[in-house]
Amino acid sequence: MRRYAADISSLAEEFQQRFQDFAAIEKEITLFSSPFSVDPDDAPDHLQLEPIELQYDAGCRSRHQQLPLVNFYRQLDKGRFQEIRTFAKKMLSLFGSTYLCEKTFSVMNINKNRVRTRLSDSHLRDILRIKTTVFEPDLAYLLQTRSQYHPSH
């Protein structure tokens, strides 16, 4: 029991250290994730008018409940909600760029190891590009355009 308590305590401390930056932007995160439940006075000065207008728009409130957050911000009127759309793009990029970096680093570690010492930088770059993209190649078309499937035969 003591060992588990020490592990859990250590884990809690690690979380505190890793996520202390989020405490500094807690109001911004709340504004981004729940724009209809925040006090507009808590928003940054340049954003205060748009959350007020957003909160009184019944159509926007309905779309917020129905759509995923990314799609909700994407469909907001560019003319009426320019500042809050820009703010949402910044908030969305916080997590996407971190995820992509972590994913790329993991793929690199899996592929570049002591067993694969002859892997060149250009090949590693190509592997990373394939593994971290959502692009789906049309393999059937690529195979039809080739007279040989393997260049050595």
Side-chain angles (χ1 to χ4, degrees):
M1 190 94 161
R2 287 182 187 161
R3 184 178 73 110
Y4 293 124
D7 288 345
I8 291 172
S9 176
S10 174
L11 186 62
E13 288 176 26
E14 183 70 25
F15 269 94
Q16 284 289 345
Q17 280 184 329
R18 287 186 180 250
F19 297 110
Q20 67 185 353
D21 294 339
F22 289 111
I25 60 169
E26 183 177 3
K27 288 182 181 179
E28 286 87 355
I29 292 172
T30 304
L31 174 62
F32 169 71
S33 62
S34 305
F36 294 94
S37 63
V38 298
D39 183 4
D41 292 335
D42 291 340
D45 292 339
H46 69 283
L47 286 175
Q48 287 184 348
L49 293 177
E50 289 184 8
I52 293 170
E53 188 175 344
L54 187 67
Q55 289 175 358
Y56 285 103
D57 188 324
C60 286
R61 184 180 297 271
S62 173
R63 285 188 295 274
H64 181 261
Q65 293 171 348
Q66 295 171 353
L67 297 172
L69 210 50
V70 174
N71 294 341
F72 167 73
Y73 283 109
R74 187 177 292 144
Q75 63 79 36
L76 282 177
D77 184 353
K78 293 177 185 177
R80 282 178 58 198
F81 301 109
Q82 181 179 0
E83 291 294 327
I84 204 159
R85 282 175 52 96
T86 302
F87 169 74
K89 288 176 187 177
K90 288 177 184 175
M91 294 302 291
L92 285 166
S93 69
L94 288 175
F95 304 104
S97 62
T98 302
Y99 166 75
L100 190 56
C101 289
E102 291 288 336
K103 182 178 178 181
T104 304
F105 190 71
S106 295
V107 169
M108 184 183 69
N109 281 336
I110 290 168
N111 284 283
K112 187 99 172 170
N113 57 42
R114 59 185 164 89
V115 178
R116 297 182 78 183
T117 57
R118 297 181 63 186
L119 185 66
S120 69
D121 287 343
S122 71
H123 284 119
L124 180 61
R125 185 187 67 241
D126 294 341
I127 290 169
L128 292 174
R129 179 173 290 163
I130 290 169
K131 295 294 275 184
T132 58
T133 187
V134 294
F135 178 73
E136 290 291 328
D138 186 358
L139 295 177
Y141 172 77
L142 290 173
L143 291 174
Q144 287 175 353
T145 61
R146 302 284 184 208
S147 60
Q148 294 180 326
Y149 294 131
H150 196 281
S152 66
H153 298 305

